[in-house]
Amino acid sequence: AEGEQEQKAVSLAMATIHSIAQDIHDSYGKKMNARMSELIERITAQRYGHITMDENLKVKAGHKNHLVELEKLSSGTMEQIYLAERISIGETMYEEKMPLVFDDSFVYYDNERLKETLKLLSELNRQVIICTCSDREVKLLKELKIPHNLIEM
């Protein structure tokens, strides 16, 4: 009897957690998917679009009229989708604009996508901190005439 009661309690807890996860996804998921799609379309010059993240946080990207699982994409494209995901989560779930911190996050970006990403980040109207061991980001910021402060360590 006690084991049966415990099993019912666990089942109820699991059902409740699943229901809450579904509610959160229904509340925020559509907005986050739309924003991620907008960002990734811009970063990739429309090569990828329509990003979907399901209630289990499984992400797929639209490419040539079909959805591709994240794991099947290049490292650079995966990193760009993660960037879009972080920005969309921050914008959707928090009213206050939190700073964005990147630590060698652009290693796998080609120059064109990095340029577009830097332009996009400069338009977000929030503090962006980029830590890197490369001078590529600084060169591109200068080339694009994006105002920045450089601190060398």
Side-chain angles (χ1 to χ4, degrees):
E2 190 176 312
E4 211 175 289
Q5 205 172 17
E6 191 173 301
Q7 189 173 4
K8 284 181 182 178
V10 169
S11 293
L12 177 62
M14 288 175 61
T16 303
I17 289 169
H18 181 72
S19 175
I20 291 169
Q22 188 64 49
D23 289 348
I24 290 170
H25 183 264
D26 291 346
S27 299
Y28 295 106
K30 288 179 183 156
K31 283 172 36 179
M32 288 185 348
N33 286 342
R35 183 61 171 145
M36 282 192 301
S37 297
E38 177 188 324
L39 293 168
I40 204 65
E41 284 174 8
R42 178 167 172 191
I43 292 168
T44 65
Q46 282 75 43
R47 181 163 182 189
Y48 293 94
H50 189 66
I51 304 297
T52 63
M53 180 171 45
D54 65 20
E55 62 275 0
N56 297 317
L57 305 179
K58 182 124 178 108
V59 177
K60 294 182 181 177
H63 178 63
K64 296 182 180 176
N65 297 321
H66 66 279
L67 291 175
V68 180
E69 291 180 8
L70 193 63
E71 301 79 30
K72 301 210 180 228
L73 301 172
S74 71
S75 297
T77 303
M78 281 194 291
E79 290 294 329
Q80 290 146 15
I81 291 172
Y82 291 144
L83 169 75
E85 186 177 37
R86 287 191 302 262
I87 291 172
S88 69
I89 288 169
E91 289 177 354
T92 304
M93 305 206 58
Y94 301 102
E95 289 180 27
E96 184 181 344
K97 290 192 174 196
M98 305 295 284
L100 297 171
V101 180
F102 302 97
D103 185 6
D104 275 331
S105 297
F106 310 122
V107 174
Y108 297 110
Y109 287 36
D110 63 37
N111 279 349
E112 289 310 306
R113 290 188 183 183
L114 180 54
K115 283 180 186 180
E116 199 55 49
T117 299
L118 293 172
K119 285 191 254 180
L120 178 116
L121 291 173
S122 74
E123 296 165 8
L124 291 178
N125 194 27
R126 58 176 34 177
Q127 183 180 26
V128 177
I129 301 168
I130 300 172
C131 303
T132 181
C133 62
S134 167
D135 62 349
R136 185 170 71 135
E137 289 84 354
V138 174
K139 286 179 181 175
L140 291 175
L141 286 167
K142 288 178 182 176
E143 178 185 319
L144 297 167
K145 297 179 175 28
I146 295 174
H148 61 280
N149 295 315
L150 175 64
I151 301 173
E152 295 185 81
M153 300 180 137

